Amino acid sequence: MFKRTLLALSLAGLSSYSFAQTIVLNADAALDVKTGKLIQPATLVIEDNKIVSLAKSNKKALPADATVVDLSGHTLLPGLFDMHVHLTGDAHVHGYKRLQRTTQRQAITGVRNAKRTLEAGFTSVRNLGAAGYSDIALRDAIYDGDIPGPRIFASGPALGITGGHCDNNLLTHEHQVVAEGVADGPWAVRAKVRENIKYGVDVIKYCATGGVLSKGTKVGAQQYSLEEMEALVSEAHLRGLTVAAHAHGTEGIKSAIKAGVDSVEHVSFLDDDAILMAKKKGTYFSMDIYNTEYILGEGEKAGILAESLDKERVVGTKQRDSFRKAVKAGVNMVFGSDAGVYPHGDNGKQFSRMVKFGMTELQAIQAATINSATLLKQQSNLGSLEAGKLADIIAVKGNPLKHIDTLENVTFVMKDGKIEINKL
């Protein structure tokens, strides 16, 4: 009986080895995002969920039952990252309309948005702020294969001060409504970080300044003190998590960098000192320079408050100027769209704006691939097309180094070795 069991286990092992799935992608080109060089033509071999090889021609003997995908006329790239999304948010529900959405309803909205995001070629996202840990539930459902969607690095509720950008300021004092992430004082902030970690977050997000879409906050005004920020970042780093700070105003940006955050989000009012600080510390900037067009074009219809529209009219232009300065200075940059403010699935529209306002096509692609993977400490697994890395791969028609807007229409999407979209 014992020998029979050993034999069965041995045969099972041989069976699983023999039937490893092999997929071969043949394309006109593949982009090495680290060097900017195109491999032409390109044959990429995937076994199970990992890249085995990428070469101009495939000389390796392949299994007879390998699945071959013809992507003629296309360029292969690593799966894209969007480092600032709100998957449970609805672009058509802003301001007071949001009071009608329960956490459960937001989670269901997230199911729809996760699918749209994946179909747009974004195989990994950093979700920065979600009520009721709904992004954790979404992340886990995708991981378990229950629903389609990108790989999610989730923050849970964003941390902030009482009455700040990350609080709920839409109701009067009689309702006594306080957002989940509100914490005041260094030790309360540490406790809130610990609570988020307890419930499974991957990253910590907090609000260092006021914001555009919050009621009653001054967009450039610092909120958390430096002491509070240092406590927050210290606690998160102690537990091995990265930290993202929402910061529009100059002093808030500088305080966040001083406190040691891994990335600053939005970064609207930037001065030379802040740029120098970011370069010295290696801080990453995530700047959502597309969504101003949606806010000013469609925001009123979606319920965005009049005061928020007024703030955006000032912030949008300033942020784009700051983006130019940061790129020119060589600050570390990642791709962050703030999708949820505008419709999910349109994430790729930001690429052309990044090029318009100072980046090369390669820099914009690197921001959404290897740079983002490095910020998340995932560069050994994701972010480039190299042997041994997870098979997150997309294909676009033509050459994105010449026409960046090709990334707005992704034809083929593979995530973790599984073909999710093939429009050919």
Side-chain angles (χ1 to χ4, degrees), residues 189-362:
V189 164
R190 283 185 181 273
K192 188 60 68 174
V193 170
R194 292 169 182 174
E195 182 178 297
N196 273 8
I197 293 172
K198 174 181 179 179
Y199 295 120
V201 304
D202 305 296
V203 301
I204 298 293
K205 188 263 184 90
Y206 77 92
C207 291
T209 74
V212 171
L213 300 183
S214 51
K215 183 175 181 291
T217 70
K218 293 180 180 179
V219 70
Q222 182 170 331
Q223 294 187 348
Y224 272 132
S225 68
L226 176 59
E227 183 185 12
E228 288 170 312
M229 292 189 206
E230 287 175 336
L232 187 157
V233 174
S234 171
E235 189 66 40
H237 285 175
L238 191 66
R239 305 289 293 278
L241 273 66
T242 56
V243 182
H246 158 109
H248 285 283
T250 310
E251 293 309 313
I253 293 167
K254 290 179 182 179
S255 291
I257 296 171
K258 285 179 185 175
V261 297
D262 301 280
S263 71
V264 183
E265 313 299 305
H266 312 301
V267 207
S268 299
F269 300 98
L270 190 61
D271 67 10
D272 292 341
D273 287 342
I275 288 174
L276 289 172
M277 290 170 62
K279 288 194 69 176
K280 184 177 180 180
K281 287 261 195 176
T283 312
Y284 284 79
F285 285 173
S286 169
M287 302 175 72
D288 49 325
I289 58 170
Y290 170 73
N291 72 4
T292 186
E293 296 169 38
Y294 182 84
I295 292 172
L296 296 181
E298 303 292 331
E300 185 176 2
K301 190 174 14 177
I304 292 178
L305 305 178
E307 71 169 88
S308 294
L309 295 174
D310 287 341
K311 286 189 276 188
E312 183 60 37
R313 290 184 185 100
V314 175
V315 170
T317 301
K318 290 288 187 183
Q319 187 190 40
R320 288 173 167 188
D321 289 342
S322 293
F323 182 85
R324 283 187 191 276
K325 290 178 183 176
V327 171
K328 187 176 181 180
V331 175
N332 291 331
M333 304 285 280
V334 293
F335 183 106
S337 72
D338 213 4
V341 171
Y342 73 92
H344 293 276
D346 287 349
N347 313 57
K349 290 183 177 181
Q350 178 162 289
F351 282 108
S352 63
R353 298 344 184 249
M354 294 169 84
V355 171
K356 180 179 179 180
F357 293 102
M359 281 188 168
T360 65
E361 287 81 359
L362 178 61

Side-chain angles (χ1 to χ4, degrees), residues 83-86 126-130 155-156 158 203-205 244 265:
M83 296 290 279
H84 192 129
V85 300
H86 301 280
R126 191 175 56 159
N127 199 81
L128 295 182
S155 78
V203 301
I204 298 293
K205 188 263 184 90
E265 313 299 305

